[in-house]
Amino acid sequence: MNVTSQCVQTQSGTSLTAELAVQAGQWVLATVTTRSATAYPDGWTLVHESAALNSSNTNQRMAMLCRKADADGTARCTVTQSSAARIYLNLIAFAGDDVAGFAYCEGSELLQNSQASSFTRPRPAAARLVWGCSAPTWLTSPRKTWACGDLTAISLPYADQARQANFIDTSEADTRTFVPDTDATAAIIFCVEILEPTVAYRERWLVRSGRTLYKPGGAALTPLADAALTGALFLEQGSKQPPDPAALAALPSPEVLYWKEGGAPPTLRLTVHGLPAPQTLTAEVDMRDAAGLAGVLAEFAGDVQITYTADGTPHGPMPLAEFAALDPAALWESIAATRKMPIRLQLAGGAVLKKLKFTYES
């Protein structure tokens, strides 16, 4: 991720300020370690504050705060504590529009008041994390830094006794092991999730025939270079409109591929005529994000048969009207294991399919 940072400390003080240049809309995360009753600045949201850890007569805690920059300029964070002592303060500004704030990862906190050469935590399932690590003192001088595998530490320089560090974690792992340069007397560790913006409704269409992908555009289909079928490909190369049926007729065994993000469940917006007979359509209804199935609506004319597969067991072929009349609750329970339903539609000569809509419960 593209970030900028500023890390500061005071060895003995009641106040510490960090500043970082930002642009309007950027999110800034502050990590602070203090050793007495602490006051956090107005305009910053407290994401999480650890419990106090008393080690070697040092009462220490770590917190993370965040705010969104209202305008281009300088993000300023001033933290105060009641008694003069060490304060560590790291600021991290995140570039781009793919950050919508931060949330504490429940259960990630570790307060260990004993000597250790490393501290291992289970990694939460979130895709993007920021870890914070803080040690009251090092056991052996001049050990002055934290490490965590191949993650890059955001901290003071090595020579400045970097007892606090952050790590941005965007790779999959079951656990994370945080290693002080040598044994630390104790440690505070926790992480927050980097939240993603709520995605507005987006949909795209592609066509596939054999191994070739096509971008629909009016009555034409434009072949695409070989590429993996991903959400990014749909966004970059897909059409916002479904393909013209006349264009599909020119391809052998065309498949219409649909992708969506956010918004309401999709409806089939193609009108397909079953000529020459018979015509076959295949699709997979993915209901993993739904809480239930409220009903099925079919609009068609002529002889349309459907075969559906529920948890590996095919059913049909049966008339589409009969399928649409099935009990939605029973149909939902029949896919309890996978919440996915592959379907195969066969249109006899002259048959027309206008809509096949699955309405989910949320």
Side-chain angles (χ1 to χ4, degrees), residues 12-206:
S12 180
T14 58
S15 177
L16 183 64
T17 298
E19 297 181 343
L20 188 61
V22 294
Q23 295 180 339
Q26 274 193 285
W27 279 91
V28 184
L29 182 69
T31 305
V32 57
T33 295
T34 54
R35 293 186 171 181
S36 58
T38 305
Y40 302 115
D42 293 337
W44 290 77
T45 299
L46 179 63
V47 182
H48 182 68
E49 181 183 59
S50 75
L53 178 67
N54 191 297
S55 174
S56 303
N57 297 318
T58 299
N59 195 30
Q60 184 159 305
R61 71 183 70 236
M62 183 175 68
M64 289 192 189
L65 325 167
C66 70
R67 71 173 300 170
K68 186 177 183 179
D70 297 326
D72 293 355
T74 301
R76 180 178 292 103
C77 182
T78 299
V79 177
T80 60
Q81 61 181 1
S82 57
S83 301
R86 282 187 182 272
I87 305 175
Y88 291 97
L89 179 54
N90 296 354
L91 293 186
I92 307 172
F94 294 78
D97 57 1
D98 61 343
V99 176
F102 306 87
Y104 170 63
C105 295
E106 295 291 339
S108 66
E109 182 172 293
L110 170 72
L111 275 74
Q112 183 165 320
N113 195 4
S114 60
Q115 172 187 344
S117 58
S118 64
F119 303 87
T120 297
R121 302 300 298 147
R123 187 192 186 282
R128 305 183 300 173
L129 304 171
V130 181
W131 292 92
C133 307
S134 185
T137 58
W138 301 131
L139 187 66
T140 305
S141 181
R143 308 306 182 182
K144 302 171 182 177
T145 192
W146 284 94
C148 180
D150 59 355
L151 302 184
T152 301
I154 298 174
S155 66
L156 287 163
Y158 180 87
D160 289 344
Q161 290 281 7
R163 298 178 189 171
Q164 175 181 281
N166 292 108
F167 297 91
I168 297 175
D169 183 355
T170 59
S171 57
E172 295 182 1
D174 294 329
T175 60
R176 285 297 184 204
T177 298
F178 302 91
V179 182
D181 206 9
T182 189
D183 296 358
T185 56
I188 304 171
I189 297 172
F190 64 78
C191 66
V192 298
E193 178 184 0
I194 304 172
L195 301 178
E196 296 185 358
T198 301
V199 179
Y201 178 75
R202 296 187 290 185
E203 64 179 356
R204 297 290 188 273
W205 302 81
L206 290 171

Side-chain angles (χ1 to χ4, degrees), residues 287 290-294 308-313 315 326-341 361:
M287 292 183 267
L293 179 63
Y308 72 95
T309 300
D311 287 349
T313 302
H315 300 269
L326 292 176
D327 178 36
L331 200 57
W332 174 256
E333 288 303 318
S334 72
I335 56 171
T338 63
R339 296 303 185 209
K340 291 183 177 182
M341 180 188 294
E361 295 176 353

Side-chain angles (χ1 to χ4, degrees), residues 188-312:
I188 304 171
I189 297 172
F190 64 78
C191 66
V192 298
E193 178 184 0
I194 304 172
L195 301 178
E196 296 185 358
T198 301
V199 179
Y201 178 75
R202 296 187 290 185
E203 64 179 356
R204 297 290 188 273
W205 302 81
L206 290 171
V207 173
R208 180 168 57 193
S209 179
R211 296 184 178 181
T212 304
L213 291 171
Y214 298 85
K215 178 179 181 176
L221 295 172
T222 303
L224 303 179
D226 290 342
L229 191 62
T230 63
L233 180 68
F234 274 99
L235 278 174
E236 295 169 4
Q237 300 291 342
S239 169
K240 295 182 180 180
Q241 299 297 324
D244 188 317
L248 297 178
L251 295 177
S253 302
E255 297 177 79
V256 177
L257 307 178
Y258 175 84
W259 175 92
K260 83 167 192 75
E261 185 175 31
T267 58
L268 182 61
R269 295 193 284 120
L270 289 172
T271 298
V272 181
H273 296 262
L275 292 173
Q279 287 288 317
T280 300
L281 298 173
T282 60
E284 182 177 72
V285 184
D286 189 339
M287 292 183 267
R288 288 176 295 176
D289 293 333
L293 179 63
V296 179
L297 174 65
E299 294 182 9
F300 65 97
D303 182 9
V304 180
Q305 301 286 315
I306 185 171
T307 300
Y308 72 95
T309 300
D311 287 349

